[in-house]
Amino acid sequence: MEALFIYGLKSAGLLACFYGVYYFLLRKETFFSSNRWFLLSGLFVSAFLPLMTWTKTVYIERPQWSAEDWMAMAKSNVPSAPSPEPILDWTSLIMGGYAIIALVIIGRILVQLISILVFLKKHPVISEASIRLVNVQQEVTPFSFFNYVVINNQLYSEEERNSIVLHEKIHCRQYHSVDILLSHLYCGLFWFHPLAWRYKKAIAQNLEFLADQKAMEQLQSPTVYQKTLVKVATGKQALALTNPFNQSLIKKRILMLQQTQSQRRNLWKYGIMLPALVGFMLIFQVKTVAQERKSVYEIKSEIQETFQIRWDKNATEAEMKKDIAFAKAQGIILKYSKLKRNDWGEITQIKVQYSAGDSKGETTIMSDSGIKPLVFVKSNSYIGFAAPKSETIIASKVDKEDIQGKEIRIEERIIRNEDGTEIIINDTDNASQPKNGERIVIRKFDASDKPLVFINGKMMDVDFDLNSLDPNTIASMSVFKNSPEALEMGKNGVIKIITKKVVTSDNIKDEEEINAAVNRAKEEIKKVLSEDKSTQADWEKARQDLAKVQEEMLKMKAEMEKAKAEYEKAKSKLKKD
């Protein structure tokens, strides 16, 4: 609501500026064509310029949050009771009232537009090039609408008719109906602005001045044209949204026809609005964006060695001589002596000397099981023997937004050895010197002085920076200090943070996989159940068949018993005989 109110005020102010310049400086000038475009630009500028902004970025330092600050914020992060909602929402009432009035005005414009189209379709049309003449029998004031010219030929003489038609044709060819429609729609949207209605009237009046001026340039008898204006002025009211020939203020139109042409030096008046618009943009349309100033970290991996020579216990003399020749080509004299090998041909002792300008050095390595690799290194900043290394990584922190405009660089050199160990150089003697001559001291901190931090149940590293957390992502935070839980887990307190749930592509992917697995399990269960049902049916059928077999076996047993009885009876009878 507030944004809409501010937009309305800005639009009203811009339109008032355009109207003021036109009324006081341009209204009496005969630059009617220029006035037309000036007035139209006022409509567009007042409607769209308040929506445009110029972004100005202001860099601010990120506040440093200490553990005490987080504890204080945790105590203050208590949900407050919701404020009671107002019984009457004035914002909705005002917006509803504005929308209803705007819809009524725009609806009225649409009805008027439809009535014009219906009126034109009822009468015959005569085409003359791109203009369509409509001769009506009613007593209607002559008017034009886009490329239609409406006139009752019986009411005017031939000379008067030619003057009227010429005037209306100028309206058609220069599309003055577009200006009329735009001004009506603007009043429909900005009906609350009183100057919008006067602005619409000024646009229509200037269009009549423009058509009169162009018509007078083509007519041979200006007197007849002026008399025609007076005659038509007494006619009936024309339809809305049209360019009627008897536009009001006939006296002003006749005076403008008799006025001498304005001098071209008066065109400077149109330029008055330019500084006003620039001032409007600079004062009201500057959107200030506060951006946190971040230190830019540059991680660069550099191979510091211009070249290196590496000899291990299996190095042959041919290889060593080849390396010596290569070093000599680089301006380095490399020699070795006291070379000893064991029974397996491994080097157990060697002394190596080098000389390169003012730099000289030597080293001796001995080992019964074979020497460790010996590396000779030459780079832009170092020459000599070194432990085997593959690369040196320089991590630099550059504050490019330093207030004094100085570039401050802190470098940490990490030498990674082949055996996996790392040598970190970060003392003041090896820190780089900035151009301003100030020495940079790299301070170390004691991690035991910081409280333990748990985020979503996961304990963070001791060097975790609480400032890296966005407070807007924190759902809840609990601070334990001088409590049994805190004393058990950390002497300096415990901070437990629960972040807001953030839906990511990984979460969505996991959820989709779980849903897919559940669906597959449901299908398996349905399949097992269907198989189980079919198995039960088979068992039931088998049980019925078994019962039938048992019944038949009982019948067979009864028959066998009967046959046995008859056999015994027959046997006893034979014995008696």
Side-chain angles (χ1 to χ4, degrees), residues 26-45:
L26 303 174
R27 178 170 55 96
K28 296 182 179 181
E29 301 291 343
T30 59
F31 305 128
F32 303 123
S33 181
S34 300
N35 287 348
R36 177 196 180 190
W37 299 114
F38 179 83
L39 293 171
L40 283 179
S41 63
L43 296 179
F44 287 99
V45 169

Side-chain angles (χ1 to χ4, degrees), residues 164-183:
I164 295 172
V165 171
L166 178 60
H167 176 94
E168 298 303 332
K169 282 183 177 181
I170 294 172
H171 282 308
C172 296
R173 289 169 182 156
Q174 296 189 1
Y175 302 100
H176 291 174
S177 296
V178 176
D179 303 38
I180 299 298
L181 282 176
L182 288 176
S183 61

Side-chain angles (χ1 to χ4, degrees), residues 35-282:
N35 287 348
R36 177 196 180 190
W37 299 114
F38 179 83
L39 293 171
L40 283 179
S41 63
L43 296 179
F44 287 99
V45 169
S46 62
F48 296 106
L49 192 61
L51 302 176
M52 302 177 183
T53 57
W54 173 60
T55 303
K56 179 182 178 182
T57 304
V58 178
Y59 291 94
I60 60 174
E61 296 289 343
R62 182 174 185 174
Q64 299 295 323
W65 295 78
S66 61
E68 289 76 10
D69 296 331
W70 286 95
M71 294 177 183
M73 188 172 68
K75 294 179 181 179
S76 63
N77 192 17
V78 179
S80 58
S83 58
E85 296 183 359
I87 299 176
L88 188 61
D89 189 359
W90 289 102
T91 302
S92 300
L93 288 178
I94 294 174
M95 290 297 298
Y98 163 80
I100 290 173
I101 296 175
L103 289 175
V104 168
I105 296 175
I106 295 176
R108 181 171 174 266
I109 294 173
L110 293 176
V111 171
Q112 293 172 347
L113 184 62
I114 294 172
S115 64
I116 294 174
L117 297 176
V118 172
F119 177 82
L120 294 175
K121 285 186 176 295
K122 290 181 179 179
H123 299 86
V125 176
I126 301 174
S127 297
E128 290 186 4
S130 60
I131 306 300
R132 296 185 176 183
L133 297 177
V134 181
N135 185 18
V136 297
Q137 303 299 324
Q138 299 97 317
E139 191 175 346
V140 175
T141 300
F143 68 88
S144 62
F145 182 74
F146 286 95
N147 61 336
Y148 286 91
V149 176
V150 179
I151 187 173
N152 187 344
N153 294 327
Q154 299 176 358
L155 299 178
Y156 309 101
S157 64
E158 184 67 20
E159 195 172 17
E160 291 173 345
R161 177 186 175 280
N162 292 336
S163 299
I164 295 172
V165 171
L166 178 60
H167 176 94
E168 298 303 332
K169 282 183 177 181
I170 294 172
H171 282 308
C172 296
R173 289 169 182 156
Q174 296 189 1
Y175 302 100
H176 291 174
S177 296
V178 176
D179 303 38
I180 299 298
L181 282 176
L182 288 176
S183 61
H184 279 77
L185 289 175
Y186 188 91
C187 289
L189 295 176
F190 296 89
W191 56 265
F192 54 87
H193 190 4
L195 285 181
W197 302 93
R198 296 183 64 87
Y199 202 88
K200 176 175 71 70
K201 185 177 180 181
I203 289 176
Q205 179 180 320
N206 181 74
L207 293 177
E208 293 303 321
F209 292 158
L210 177 57
D212 291 339
Q213 184 187 54
K214 298 298 182 182
M216 289 290 292
E217 293 176 357
Q218 303 178 35
L219 290 174
Q220 297 179 355
S221 179
T223 304
V224 174
Y225 185 80
Q226 295 175 11
K227 290 181 179 180
T228 305
L229 285 178
V230 176
K231 180 179 180 180
V232 179
T234 59
K236 293 185 178 181
Q237 186 68 27
L239 296 177
L241 302 181
T242 61
N243 296 292
F245 186 77
N246 68 335
Q247 182 66 260
S248 59
L249 303 175
I250 296 298
K251 182 180 179 181
K252 287 186 177 182
R253 292 174 62 181
I254 295 175
L255 291 176
M256 293 301 292
L257 289 174
Q258 297 176 352
Q259 186 174 347
T260 58
Q261 295 294 319
S262 301
Q263 297 181 0
R264 295 186 62 83
R265 63 186 180 185
N266 292 335
L267 291 173
W268 65 268
K269 297 178 182 180
Y270 293 101
I272 292 179
M273 282 303 301
L274 292 179
L277 295 178
V278 173
F280 173 82
M281 288 294 296
L282 294 178

Side-chain angles (χ1 to χ4, degrees), residues 533-547:
K533 289 180 180 179
S534 61
T535 303
Q536 290 180 359
D538 294 340
W539 276 103
E540 183 66 23
K541 184 178 180 180
R543 188 179 64 79
Q544 293 177 359
D545 294 340
L546 182 61

